[in-house]
Each structure stands twice: as structure tokens, then as C-alpha cells.
mmCIF file of all heavy atoms in Angstrom:
data_model
loop_
_atom_site.group_PDB
_atom_site.id
_atom_site.type_symbol
_atom_site.label_atom_id
_atom_site.label_comp_id
_atom_site.label_asym_id
_atom_site.label_seq_id
_atom_site.Cartn_x
_atom_site.Cartn_y
_atom_site.Cartn_z
ATOM 1 N N GLY A 37 -3.115 16.422 12.495
ATOM 2 C CA GLY A 37 -1.842 15.716 12.465
ATOM 3 C C GLY A 37 -1.945 14.239 12.143
ATOM 4 O O GLY A 37 -0.922 13.559 12.007
ATOM 5 N N ALA A 38 -3.161 13.720 12.006
ATOM 6 C CA ALA A 38 -3.321 12.315 11.626
ATOM 7 C C ALA A 38 -2.835 12.111 10.200
ATOM 8 O O ALA A 38 -2.883 13.026 9.375
ATOM 9 C CB ALA A 38 -4.784 11.903 11.749
ATOM 10 N N ILE A 39 -2.353 10.922 9.901
ATOM 11 C CA ILE A 39 -1.834 10.624 8.581
ATOM 12 C C ILE A 39 -2.616 9.458 7.972
ATOM 13 O O ILE A 39 -3.333 8.738 8.660
ATOM 14 C CB ILE A 39 -0.328 10.293 8.619
ATOM 15 C CG1 ILE A 39 -0.071 9.071 9.509
ATOM 16 C CG2 ILE A 39 0.465 11.501 9.117
ATOM 17 C CD1 ILE A 39 1.381 8.608 9.482
ATOM 18 N N TRP A 40 -2.457 9.296 6.661
ATOM 19 C CA TRP A 40 -3.104 8.191 5.961
ATOM 20 C C TRP A 40 -2.457 6.882 6.398
ATOM 21 O O TRP A 40 -1.253 6.845 6.569
ATOM 22 C CB TRP A 40 -2.906 8.394 4.443
ATOM 23 C CG TRP A 40 -3.661 7.437 3.585
ATOM 24 C CD1 TRP A 40 -4.937 7.590 3.107
ATOM 25 C CD2 TRP A 40 -3.200 6.185 3.075
ATOM 26 N NE1 TRP A 40 -5.288 6.516 2.341
ATOM 27 C CE2 TRP A 40 -4.239 5.627 2.301
ATOM 28 C CE3 TRP A 40 -2.004 5.468 3.199
ATOM 29 C CZ2 TRP A 40 -4.118 4.395 1.658
ATOM 30 C CZ3 TRP A 40 -1.877 4.241 2.567
ATOM 31 C CH2 TRP A 40 -2.925 3.719 1.809
ATOM 32 N N PRO A 41 -3.204 5.792 6.632
ATOM 33 C CA PRO A 41 -4.645 5.656 6.376
ATOM 34 C C PRO A 41 -5.524 5.967 7.582
ATOM 35 O O PRO A 41 -6.725 5.727 7.532
ATOM 36 C CB PRO A 41 -4.757 4.181 5.995
ATOM 37 C CG PRO A 41 -3.720 3.508 6.859
ATOM 38 C CD PRO A 41 -2.567 4.479 6.915
ATOM 39 N N GLN A 42 -4.919 6.509 8.684
ATOM 40 C CA GLN A 42 -5.737 6.814 9.861
ATOM 41 C C GLN A 42 -6.843 7.828 9.552
ATOM 42 O O GLN A 42 -7.895 7.805 10.189
ATOM 43 C CB GLN A 42 -4.847 7.350 10.987
ATOM 44 C CG GLN A 42 -4.050 6.281 11.718
ATOM 45 C CD GLN A 42 -2.859 5.771 10.911
ATOM 46 O OE1 GLN A 42 -2.345 6.491 10.055
ATOM 47 N NE2 GLN A 42 -2.425 4.545 11.186
ATOM 48 N N VAL A 43 -6.589 8.724 8.591
ATOM 49 C CA VAL A 43 -7.613 9.726 8.261
ATOM 50 C C VAL A 43 -8.767 9.119 7.477
ATOM 51 O O VAL A 43 -9.856 9.707 7.397
ATOM 52 C CB VAL A 43 -7.010 10.894 7.451
ATOM 53 C CG1 VAL A 43 -6.040 11.694 8.295
ATOM 54 C CG2 VAL A 43 -6.347 10.398 6.168
ATOM 55 N N GLY A 44 -8.542 7.963 6.847
ATOM 56 C CA GLY A 44 -9.572 7.329 6.040
ATOM 57 C C GLY A 44 -9.575 7.826 4.607
ATOM 58 O O GLY A 44 -9.176 8.961 4.309
ATOM 59 N N GLU A 45 -10.014 6.952 3.727
ATOM 60 C CA GLU A 45 -10.146 7.282 2.307
ATOM 61 C C GLU A 45 -11.371 6.555 1.761
ATOM 62 O O GLU A 45 -11.545 5.355 2.003
ATOM 63 C CB GLU A 45 -8.893 6.856 1.538
ATOM 64 C CG GLU A 45 -8.982 7.068 0.026
ATOM 65 C CD GLU A 45 -7.705 6.635 -0.698
ATOM 66 O OE1 GLU A 45 -6.614 6.709 -0.082
ATOM 67 O OE2 GLU A 45 -7.810 6.199 -1.870
ATOM 68 N N ILE A 46 -12.209 7.274 1.035
ATOM 69 C CA ILE A 46 -13.389 6.691 0.399
ATOM 70 C C ILE A 46 -13.268 6.936 -1.102
ATOM 71 O O ILE A 46 -13.368 8.078 -1.556
ATOM 72 C CB ILE A 46 -14.693 7.311 0.927
ATOM 73 C CG1 ILE A 46 -14.788 7.193 2.452
ATOM 74 C CG2 ILE A 46 -15.902 6.660 0.260
ATOM 75 C CD1 ILE A 46 -15.951 7.975 3.053
ATOM 76 N N ASP A 47 -13.042 5.881 -1.849
ATOM 77 C CA ASP A 47 -12.934 5.988 -3.306
ATOM 78 C C ASP A 47 -14.316 5.741 -3.901
ATOM 79 O O ASP A 47 -14.778 4.601 -3.974
ATOM 80 C CB ASP A 47 -11.924 4.978 -3.837
ATOM 81 C CG ASP A 47 -10.532 5.185 -3.246
ATOM 82 O OD1 ASP A 47 -10.183 6.351 -2.983
ATOM 83 O OD2 ASP A 47 -9.819 4.201 -3.044
ATOM 84 N N ILE A 48 -14.976 6.818 -4.298
ATOM 85 C CA ILE A 48 -16.343 6.728 -4.798
ATOM 86 C C ILE A 48 -16.377 6.028 -6.151
ATOM 87 O O ILE A 48 -17.243 5.195 -6.412
ATOM 88 C CB ILE A 48 -16.950 8.136 -4.898
ATOM 89 C CG1 ILE A 48 -16.954 8.813 -3.521
ATOM 90 C CG2 ILE A 48 -18.364 8.073 -5.485
ATOM 91 C CD1 ILE A 48 -17.366 10.264 -3.551
ATOM 92 N N MET A 49 -15.436 6.365 -7.013
ATOM 93 C CA MET A 49 -15.338 5.744 -8.327
ATOM 94 C C MET A 49 -13.886 5.651 -8.742
ATOM 95 O O MET A 49 -13.172 6.642 -8.717
ATOM 96 C CB MET A 49 -16.112 6.556 -9.370
ATOM 97 C CG MET A 49 -16.080 6.002 -10.792
ATOM 98 S SD MET A 49 -14.535 6.305 -11.725
ATOM 99 C CE MET A 49 -14.451 8.089 -11.724
ATOM 100 N N GLU A 50 -13.461 4.473 -9.131
ATOM 101 C CA GLU A 50 -12.178 4.278 -9.786
ATOM 102 C C GLU A 50 -12.399 3.377 -10.993
ATOM 103 O O GLU A 50 -13.320 2.557 -11.015
ATOM 104 C CB GLU A 50 -11.168 3.621 -8.852
ATOM 105 C CG GLU A 50 -10.807 4.457 -7.639
ATOM 106 C CD GLU A 50 -9.831 3.731 -6.737
ATOM 107 O OE1 GLU A 50 -10.294 2.906 -5.924
ATOM 108 O OE2 GLU A 50 -8.621 3.985 -6.858
ATOM 109 N N ASN A 51 -11.536 3.539 -11.994
ATOM 110 C CA ASN A 51 -11.605 2.711 -13.192
ATOM 111 C C ASN A 51 -10.195 2.517 -13.727
ATOM 112 O O ASN A 51 -9.388 3.453 -13.694
ATOM 113 C CB ASN A 51 -12.479 3.383 -14.252
ATOM 114 C CG ASN A 51 -12.336 2.752 -15.629
ATOM 115 O OD1 ASN A 51 -11.636 3.291 -16.483
ATOM 116 N ND2 ASN A 51 -12.982 1.614 -15.848
ATOM 117 N N VAL A 52 -9.879 1.312 -14.167
ATOM 118 C CA VAL A 52 -8.646 1.098 -14.918
ATOM 119 C C VAL A 52 -9.026 1.117 -16.390
ATOM 120 O O VAL A 52 -9.992 0.469 -16.807
ATOM 121 C CB VAL A 52 -7.935 -0.204 -14.507
ATOM 122 C CG1 VAL A 52 -7.403 -0.079 -13.096
ATOM 123 C CG2 VAL A 52 -8.832 -1.418 -14.616
ATOM 124 N N GLY A 53 -8.285 1.894 -17.169
ATOM 125 C CA GLY A 53 -8.731 2.291 -18.492
ATOM 126 C C GLY A 53 -8.915 1.189 -19.509
ATOM 127 O O GLY A 53 -9.601 1.384 -20.517
ATOM 128 N N ASP A 54 -8.294 0.026 -19.288
ATOM 129 C CA ASP A 54 -8.499 -1.070 -20.235
ATOM 130 C C ASP A 54 -9.678 -1.955 -19.851
ATOM 131 O O ASP A 54 -9.866 -3.023 -20.434
ATOM 132 C CB ASP A 54 -7.223 -1.903 -20.388
ATOM 133 C CG ASP A 54 -6.702 -2.457 -19.069
ATOM 134 O OD1 ASP A 54 -7.146 -1.989 -18.011
ATOM 135 O OD2 ASP A 54 -5.840 -3.356 -19.099
ATOM 136 N N GLU A 55 -10.498 -1.499 -18.877
ATOM 137 C CA GLU A 55 -11.720 -2.210 -18.502
ATOM 138 C C GLU A 55 -12.891 -1.226 -18.560
ATOM 139 O O GLU A 55 -13.402 -0.771 -17.535
ATOM 140 C CB GLU A 55 -11.584 -2.817 -17.107
ATOM 141 C CG GLU A 55 -10.463 -3.854 -17.004
ATOM 142 C CD GLU A 55 -10.356 -4.464 -15.613
ATOM 143 O OE1 GLU A 55 -11.259 -4.236 -14.779
ATOM 144 O OE2 GLU A 55 -9.368 -5.173 -15.365
ATOM 145 N N PRO A 56 -13.332 -0.861 -19.762
ATOM 146 C CA PRO A 56 -14.287 0.245 -19.919
ATOM 147 C C PRO A 56 -15.723 -0.067 -19.524
ATOM 148 O O PRO A 56 -16.580 0.809 -19.648
ATOM 149 C CB PRO A 56 -14.197 0.567 -21.413
ATOM 150 C CG PRO A 56 -13.794 -0.729 -22.046
ATOM 151 C CD PRO A 56 -12.861 -1.374 -21.066
ATOM 152 N N THR A 57 -15.997 -1.265 -19.037
ATOM 153 C CA THR A 57 -17.345 -1.565 -18.554
ATOM 154 C C THR A 57 -17.370 -1.811 -17.047
ATOM 155 O O THR A 57 -18.415 -2.197 -16.512
ATOM 156 C CB THR A 57 -17.926 -2.802 -19.268
ATOM 157 O OG1 THR A 57 -17.110 -3.942 -18.992
ATOM 158 C CG2 THR A 57 -17.997 -2.578 -20.769
ATOM 159 N N THR A 58 -16.245 -1.598 -16.366
ATOM 160 C CA THR A 58 -16.156 -1.919 -14.938
ATOM 161 C C THR A 58 -15.660 -0.726 -14.133
ATOM 162 O O THR A 58 -14.692 -0.064 -14.511
ATOM 163 C CB THR A 58 -15.209 -3.111 -14.719
ATOM 164 O OG1 THR A 58 -15.692 -4.236 -15.455
ATOM 165 C CG2 THR A 58 -15.119 -3.477 -13.246
ATOM 166 N N ILE A 59 -16.340 -0.453 -13.026
ATOM 167 C CA ILE A 59 -15.849 0.525 -12.056
ATOM 168 C C ILE A 59 -15.776 -0.163 -10.699
ATOM 169 O O ILE A 59 -16.319 -1.256 -10.522
ATOM 170 C CB ILE A 59 -16.730 1.793 -11.997
ATOM 171 C CG1 ILE A 59 -18.189 1.457 -11.664
ATOM 172 C CG2 ILE A 59 -16.667 2.548 -13.319
ATOM 173 C CD1 ILE A 59 -18.542 1.598 -10.225
ATOM 174 N N PHE A 60 -15.104 0.476 -9.749
ATOM 175 C CA PHE A 60 -15.075 -0.092 -8.414
ATOM 176 C C PHE A 60 -15.086 1.006 -7.359
ATOM 177 O O PHE A 60 -14.639 2.130 -7.600
ATOM 178 C CB PHE A 60 -13.907 -1.061 -8.206
ATOM 179 C CG PHE A 60 -12.556 -0.577 -8.617
ATOM 180 C CD1 PHE A 60 -11.662 -0.101 -7.677
ATOM 181 C CD2 PHE A 60 -12.146 -0.611 -9.946
ATOM 182 C CE1 PHE A 60 -10.392 0.322 -8.035
ATOM 183 C CE2 PHE A 60 -10.884 -0.183 -10.318
ATOM 184 C CZ PHE A 60 -10.001 0.284 -9.363
ATOM 185 N N GLY A 61 -15.669 0.653 -6.211
ATOM 186 C CA GLY A 61 -15.719 1.537 -5.057
ATOM 187 C C GLY A 61 -14.956 0.898 -3.918
ATOM 188 O O GLY A 61 -15.060 -0.303 -3.678
ATOM 189 N N THR A 62 -14.184 1.717 -3.182
ATOM 190 C CA THR A 62 -13.211 1.182 -2.233
ATOM 191 C C THR A 62 -13.175 2.027 -0.967
ATOM 192 O O THR A 62 -13.440 3.234 -1.008
ATOM 193 C CB THR A 62 -11.809 1.165 -2.885
ATOM 194 O OG1 THR A 62 -11.876 0.460 -4.120
ATOM 195 C CG2 THR A 62 -10.775 0.504 -1.992
ATOM 196 N N ALA A 63 -12.813 1.402 0.147
ATOM 197 C CA ALA A 63 -12.567 2.103 1.400
ATOM 198 C C ALA A 63 -11.192 1.708 1.931
ATOM 199 O O ALA A 63 -10.800 0.538 1.833
ATOM 200 C CB ALA A 63 -13.634 1.785 2.431
ATOM 201 N N HIS A 64 -10.464 2.695 2.465
ATOM 202 C CA HIS A 64 -9.155 2.469 3.086
ATOM 203 C C HIS A 64 -9.182 3.024 4.502
ATOM 204 O O HIS A 64 -9.728 4.098 4.751
ATOM 205 C CB HIS A 64 -8.034 3.203 2.336
ATOM 206 C CG HIS A 64 -7.896 2.851 0.892
ATOM 207 N ND1 HIS A 64 -6.873 2.070 0.412
ATOM 208 C CD2 HIS A 64 -8.643 3.203 -0.190
ATOM 209 C CE1 HIS A 64 -6.989 1.952 -0.897
ATOM 210 N NE2 HIS A 64 -8.059 2.640 -1.287
ATOM 211 N N GLY A 65 -8.549 2.302 5.415
ATOM 212 C CA GLY A 65 -8.402 2.763 6.780
ATOM 213 C C GLY A 65 -7.352 1.922 7.477
ATOM 214 O O GLY A 65 -6.739 1.040 6.859
ATOM 215 N N PRO A 66 -7.116 2.150 8.750
ATOM 216 C CA PRO A 66 -6.128 1.348 9.475
ATOM 217 C C PRO A 66 -6.483 -0.134 9.434
ATOM 218 O O PRO A 66 -7.588 -0.536 9.792
ATOM 219 C CB PRO A 66 -6.223 1.904 10.903
ATOM 220 C CG PRO A 66 -6.788 3.278 10.755
ATOM 221 C CD PRO A 66 -7.726 3.200 9.602
ATOM 222 N N GLY A 67 -5.561 -0.936 8.935
ATOM 223 C CA GLY A 67 -5.787 -2.367 8.821
ATOM 224 C C GLY A 67 -6.409 -2.806 7.518
ATOM 225 O O GLY A 67 -6.584 -4.006 7.283
ATOM 226 N N PHE A 68 -6.737 -1.842 6.634
ATOM 227 C CA PHE A 68 -7.288 -2.207 5.316
ATOM 228 C C PHE A 68 -6.985 -1.090 4.308
ATOM 229 O O PHE A 68 -7.858 -0.388 3.837
ATOM 230 C CB PHE A 68 -8.789 -2.513 5.382
ATOM 231 C CG PHE A 68 -9.654 -1.393 5.914
ATOM 232 C CD1 PHE A 68 -10.467 -0.651 5.065
ATOM 233 C CD2 PHE A 68 -9.680 -1.092 7.264
ATOM 234 C CE1 PHE A 68 -11.281 0.365 5.550
ATOM 235 C CE2 PHE A 68 -10.488 -0.083 7.766
ATOM 236 C CZ PHE A 68 -11.290 0.650 6.901
ATOM 237 N N SER A 69 -5.721 -0.934 3.990
ATOM 238 C CA SER A 69 -5.298 0.125 3.085
ATOM 239 C C SER A 69 -4.456 -0.443 1.950
ATOM 240 O O SER A 69 -3.954 -1.561 2.011
ATOM 241 C CB SER A 69 -4.495 1.189 3.833
ATOM 242 O OG SER A 69 -3.318 0.631 4.397
ATOM 243 N N GLY A 70 -4.311 0.381 0.882
ATOM 244 C CA GLY A 70 -3.517 -0.055 -0.262
ATOM 245 C C GLY A 70 -4.092 -1.318 -0.878
ATOM 246 O O GLY A 70 -5.305 -1.432 -1.098
ATOM 247 N N ALA A 71 -3.225 -2.285 -1.141
ATOM 248 C CA ALA A 71 -3.657 -3.536 -1.755
ATOM 249 C C ALA A 71 -4.587 -4.335 -0.859
ATOM 250 O O ALA A 71 -5.280 -5.244 -1.325
ATOM 251 C CB ALA A 71 -2.438 -4.379 -2.127
#
């Protein structure tokens, strides 16, 4: 029954398509989610 971001999120790889040489890794949780 937990909801985001309490469940946690681990973004192993993300890329924005107009930056083809850059990737980023991210973590989301309570107090550090979204932007």
C-alpha cells in the first residue's frame, strides 16, 4: 500500500535525446523526488 516516492525509485540510466553523449543516474525517495 505504500505509494511513490515512499517506495523508492532507482533510475539506472536516463537520457534526453538531444544530448547523445550524456546519461544520468538518479535516486528518488521521500524528501528527494521529481525535480
Side-chain angles (χ1 to χ4, degrees):
I39 60 174
W40 187 89
Q42 283 75 25
V43 293
E45 176 180 331
I46 304 171
D47 300 327
I48 301 172
M49 180 283 301
E50 296 178 277
N51 166 259
V52 292
D54 56 345
E55 298 181 10
T57 62
T58 302
I59 57 97
F60 49 100
T62 306
H64 302 254
F68 58 106
S69 61

